[in-house]
Amino acid sequence: MTTYATARSVRLGVAEMIRPPRRILVSEGAKALQVANAAGAAGAWDPHTTPYMVEPLDTTGSRHYEAVVFVGPARSGKTISLIDARLAYLITCNPADAMVVQMSKDAAEDYSKTRISRSIAASPELRSRLSPRAHDDNILLKFFRSGMSLRMGWPSVSVLSGKDIHDVLMTDVDNYTGDLAIDECFGLALKRTQTYMSAGMVVAESSPATDYADGAWKPSDPHQGPPAAGIAALYARGDRRRWYWPCPECGERFQAAPGYDGFALPPLEELLERVVLDDVQKLARHYSLLHCPHCGVGLQHRWKEGMNRSGVWAAEGQVVHPDGTVTGERQEARIASFWLGGVAAAYQSWESLVERYFQALRTFATTGEERPLKTTHNVDGAINYVPMAARSVSDPNEMRKRAEDWGRGAVPPGVRFLAATVDVQGNRFVVLVLGFGIGESGQLERWVVDSFTLRTSARPDGSGGFLPLDPPKYLEDWERLVEKVITRRYPLADGTGRTMPIRVTGIDWGGKSGTSVRALEFWRSLKVRNLHTRVRLIKGDTRREGPLFRETFPDSSKRKDRKSGSKGDVPQLLLNVDRLKDTVSANVKRAEPGPGYYHFPDWLPEAFYAELTAESRTAKGWENLANRRNEAFDLCGYAEGLALWMKVPAINWTAPPSWAAEWDDNPDVRADDAAPAPPPRARTRRVIRSKYLGR
């Protein structure tokens, strides 16, 4: 006779189902959790390691709140405390159905395998409560002896509908990739717990990852978060608590605020120059002191652990006194919301925090790439990012005041090569010729060498003139670009008679129906003449989060719904226009020469500057809200994309490629076939070098 269970084991199994909840703090019950790492080693969850997580975790057991929202940096212990430790409390002290909502289905499966399963296996108290039946221990659904179920979910209507769940634990919410917006997901989670009334709980935690476009925004209260969507918006719906710790020098309390303001860093303009010229690690070490706003003393990182252990949370409207007591009333809210600055994170030093910020600034200063800056703001500083282009409003008059004096169509000193970009309209070609080179700052700068519009074709109108251009219809109209742009040479401004060719031309081939077909035919005709190597067709990439550029060979020959004429034989540059325009906007705002600086000649019309500032940076990206002419802005963005494709930011200017060498060493610069150089102007403009460049 086979025995499947003893009477004792049956009694113990049933007893687990009827055991009353243990009335202890959540942080006490969470000590049953053994945090396991990839090597199999485990250590008990210790609230003293991240003391700032104790109150948020204990608040998840309060019947006064329906949700806890936590915003904080990566590696601060927020997920271990609010998700893993909360689950340990539920399993051992207050069994109830729970769901962990991850970024995506794949992330949910990975979290179950690498975090949940390992923690249960490493924690004797959790392991003993897991159902002994093999079919009760699955990747996305686990059952325990008490009858408690633990689901793994992701942001989907089907996952978050039709269930009664005691705890919905949402992690990394600002990076959700499902078919639900964060607000929708949070609302559905609250509905799932509503059956349990005051006992139900929703937890949402994340580092901020959404941008905001109001560069002029300033908080009206020290506890106010930026006007961004996602976890920042959820935080704003709560009582807005911040972490206050004592200054070891004067004893006064101050906020461990998100971002980098506490490090007394120089102005951004100065930083952008210093991170290029100076040793970033030494610079970070110099600025890694956190300054007390009361006494002004720069505090070393070694004081952080003690400051955290003496820290307290205070809500908006409350006052923290030097002895740690908190007075004042919290505003009434059904959500307890917390925001922890990156300076308080237990697992990152202040020097590392500042160094990552400086490294990201160096990347931006040398390449125009903003993604590292956004990342370090989000995961290290625990603050939403505002793009450089949105930090101030572009003033066309200020740009025009910087105009310099050199002849139209002449290549000014400093330019190493020319890049032309063409915007194809229904009845014209709009052309910009931009020079790239090394200015007096010793950094990569830009010069506007020429700007013009082609309006007439070479087709006779029958009365001695020529018909207007019609690029979508006539291939021969594109031939105007060969002489006027692709093979054109510009005289140097040194009066020697030498000329410089256009090194690369980018042609926007989107727009009116028929344009793409003619653009492809034109490029193929250039290939026959061996003029194609320096010409690329360019188009905006619909993926806003994609790379700055990618080269593709589109082929629609097998698609009946496409008639573009592409056969996989013509290269195309897909440009992330939004991010490239961020670079342009930030560069044209530079008031002094330096990395990315734009030199404008005094012959440019006022309309050019108006076009350069026609668009506004919104949460959706760059938008032409007033429907104004914006060709100059588009063409500058295309030119930045061409420069990246040519790997210009990576050039070693002490040993550049021949086409980017100085004029006397550049084989592309020659005197034959040269148009006479314009005579030098009597009046010269003195360029003032930044006082910060020598630092």
Side-chain angles (χ1 to χ4, degrees):
M1 180 177 179
T2 303
T3 301
Y4 293 97
T6 64
R8 183 175 183 275
S9 64
V10 171
R11 286 198 305 272
L12 290 175
V14 173
E16 190 64 32
M17 299 177 67
I18 62 175
R19 186 193 303 274
R22 296 171 61 193
R23 304 300 182 185
I24 61 174
L25 292 173
V26 180
S27 56
E28 288 296 318
K31 291 179 180 179
L33 174 67
Q34 296 284 322
V35 182
N37 59 30
W45 177 78
D46 183 5
H48 297 296
T49 303
T50 54
Y52 45 76
M53 294 307 309
V54 174
E55 183 175 323
L57 177 58
D58 285 338
T59 306
T60 63
S62 172
R63 287 179 176 263
H64 295 291
Y65 301 99
E66 63 183 7
V68 169
V69 172
F70 189 93
V71 191
R75 304 295 92 188
S76 60
K78 62 184 187 300
T79 305
I80 292 175
S81 300
L82 291 175
I83 309 298
D84 300 359
R86 173 66 181 173
L87 286 175
Y89 165 79
L90 290 174
I91 294 169
T92 60
C93 300
N94 187 23
D97 291 346
M99 175 186 285
V100 176
V101 183
Q102 259 285 355
M103 295 181 293
S104 63
K105 183 178 181 180
D106 289 342
E109 292 177 349
D110 181 73
Y111 191 87
S112 177
K113 294 175 183 177
T114 59
R115 291 284 288 267
I116 300 299
S117 294
R118 285 176 180 172
S119 295
I120 291 175
S123 307
E125 291 192 51
L126 305 186
R127 188 173 65 250
S128 66
R129 287 169 170 80
L130 188 66
S131 172
R133 295 184 291 271
H135 61 271
D136 283 346
D137 185 8
N138 302 298
I139 295 174
L140 297 178
L141 180 60
K142 299 179 185 295
F143 286 94
F144 296 83
R145 293 178 184 270
S146 62
M148 170 185 171
S149 67
L150 172 58
R151 290 179 171 87
M152 300 294 151
W154 53 93
S156 172
V157 173
S158 60
V159 172
L160 286 167
S161 298
K163 303 175 184 68
D164 295 328
I165 305 173
H166 187 278
D167 270 43
V168 179
L169 310 177
M170 304 164 61
T171 178
D172 210 4
V173 300
D174 257 15
N175 292 304
Y176 277 3
T177 58
D179 55 10
L180 289 175
I182 296 172
D183 281 338
E184 294 175 309
C185 191
F186 188 74
L188 283 175
L190 289 173
K191 279 298 178 185
R192 302 287 66 79
T193 63
Q194 200 168 37
T195 303
Y196 294 91
M197 295 185 288
S198 63
M201 177 55 61
V202 174
V203 173
E205 62 86 6
S206 181
S207 297
T210 54
D211 298 348
Y212 66 100
D214 185 2
W217 173 83
K218 299 293 181 184
S220 57
D221 184 274
H223 289 224
Q224 187 179 12
I231 195 74
L234 298 184
Y235 165 84
R237 292 164 59 175
D239 53 17
R240 303 177 189 176
R241 305 185 201 186
R242 294 291 178 95
W243 184 243
Y244 285 81
W245 50 12
C247 170
E249 183 70 23
C250 68
E252 292 290 335
R253 298 268 171 168
F254 65 98
Q255 187 187 133
Y260 306 92
D261 290 344
F263 293 107
L265 302 178
L268 183 60
E269 285 283 332
E270 177 181 341
L271 268 180
L272 285 171
E273 294 174 353
R274 294 191 63 181
V275 295
V276 173
L277 300 174
D278 298 348
D279 184 303
V280 168
Q281 194 169 11
K282 291 181 180 178
L283 199 65
R285 189 175 302 118
H286 175 73
Y287 284 109
S288 64
L289 299 179
L290 187 70
H291 291 261
C292 171
H294 300 287
C295 66
V297 170
L299 306 174
Q300 295 180 350
H301 176 264
R302 61 191 177 92
W303 294 106
K304 182 169 76 171
E305 183 177 355
M307 293 165 66
N308 265 334
R309 292 194 176 185
S310 300
V312 294
W313 287 100
E316 185 175 303
Q318 293 185 312
V319 177
V320 184
H321 301 281
D323 62 356
T325 58
V326 180
T327 59
E329 295 294 327
R330 297 193 187 110
Q331 63 174 338
E332 293 187 7
R334 294 287 295 157
I335 298 174
S337 57
F338 303 81
W339 198 315
L340 181 75
V343 293
Y347 302 106
Q348 185 169 31
S349 69
W350 292 341
E351 183 178 331
S352 170
L353 183 70
V354 175
E355 183 180 350
R356 291 191 181 187
Y357 176 51
F358 286 175
Q359 291 287 8
L361 279 175
R362 170 180 277 186
T363 300
F364 172 73
T366 55
T367 70
E369 173 60 79
E370 281 193 71
R371 185 168 293 183
L373 260 180
K374 170 182 167 61
T375 300
T376 193
H377 272 76
N378 295 164
V379 302
D380 297 319
I383 190 70
N384 297 85
Y385 183 65
V386 54
M388 289 289 186
R391 298 193 180 199
S392 61
V393 178
S394 300
D395 186 349
N397 293 324
E398 289 299 319
M399 295 180 192
R400 198 174 188 186
K401 289 178 183 177
R402 303 200 322 253
E404 303 172 34
D405 183 15
W406 73 79
R408 180 164 191 162
V411 181
V415 173
R416 300 291 186 87
F417 71 92
L418 301 176
T421 48
V422 182
D423 188 13
V424 183
Q425 301 287 331
N427 61 353
R428 62 188 183 275
F429 294 117
V430 183
V431 182
L432 174 69
V433 180
L434 208 60
F436 289 80
I438 302 301
E440 291 187 10
S441 68
Q443 303 298 323
L444 180 63
E445 300 177 8
R446 288 89 167 136
W447 287 259
V448 177
V449 172
D450 204 358
S451 175
F452 59 92
T453 300
L454 294 175
R455 298 182 182 275
T456 58
S457 70
R459 293 178 286 110
D461 62 1
S463 58
F466 297 96
L467 293 170
L469 280 170
D470 193 350
K473 291 183 180 178
Y474 296 95
L475 176 62
E476 55 266 38
D477 286 4
W478 292 72
E479 287 297 316
R480 295 276 286 158
L481 293 177
V482 176
E483 176 190 358
K484 294 295 184 180
V485 182
I486 297 172
T487 61
R488 187 168 181 172
R489 301 183 67 87
Y490 283 87
L492 305 186
D494 61 358
T496 61
R498 293 180 297 176
T499 62
M500 177 181 289
I502 291 177
R503 179 70 189 179
V504 64
T505 300
I507 304 174
D508 175 22
W509 65 304
K512 193 174 180 180
S513 177
T515 301
S516 60
V517 176
R518 298 291 171 258
L520 292 166
E521 292 173 344
F522 177 61
W523 192 91
R524 293 182 183 116
S525 74
L526 293 175
K527 188 174 183 179
V528 173
R529 291 171 279 181
N530 202 29
L531 295 175
H532 65 294
T533 56
R534 296 183 181 183
V535 178
R536 281 297 178 270
L537 303 182
I538 55 182
K539 183 179 287 188
D541 196 342
T542 56
R543 302 188 307 171
R544 290 177 58 194
E545 295 303 318
L548 286 170
F549 77 93
R550 55 192 178 100
E551 189 169 26
T552 65
F553 290 80
D555 185 358
S556 63
S557 58
K558 297 181 180 179
R559 296 189 56 172
K560 296 181 180 180
D561 60 330
R562 297 286 179 89
K563 297 181 180 180
S564 67
S566 56
K567 303 175 183 178
D569 61 326
V570 179
Q572 167 191 269
L573 284 182
L574 282 177
L575 305 181
N576 191 321
V577 176
D578 268 347
R579 291 170 59 200
L580 289 171
K581 285 184 175 181
D582 284 346
T583 300
V584 174
S585 180
N587 286 342
V588 298
K589 290 174 185 174
R590 286 189 64 99
E592 295 179 333
Y597 182 80
Y598 271 69
H599 296 264
F600 300 113
D602 56 6
W603 50 260
L604 278 176
E606 185 177 348
F608 182 89
Y609 300 98
E611 292 178 15
L612 203 56
T613 57
E615 298 188 20
S616 301
R617 188 62 155 88
T618 71
K620 298 179 181 179
W622 284 97
E623 294 186 279
N624 191 350
L625 301 177
N627 292 320
R628 295 183 293 172
R629 293 280 299 272
N630 64 343
E631 287 92 335
F633 195 31
D634 285 342
L635 293 172
C636 285
Y638 299 157
E640 296 290 346
L642 285 176
L644 291 173
W645 172 66
M646 297 171 68
K647 301 180 180 179
V648 173
I651 290 177
N652 177 4
W653 293 102
T654 60
S658 59
W659 52 266
E662 295 189 42
W663 294 352
D664 292 341
D665 301 320
N666 192 324
D668 285 348
V669 175
R670 63 175 190 261
D672 57 317
D673 300 323
R681 302 280 186 95
R683 175 171 55 91
T684 59
R685 178 181 180 273
R686 183 170 61 92
V687 176
I688 300 175
R689 191 176 181 185
S690 170
K691 64 181 180 180
Y692 300 110
L693 292 176
R695 295 191 178 184

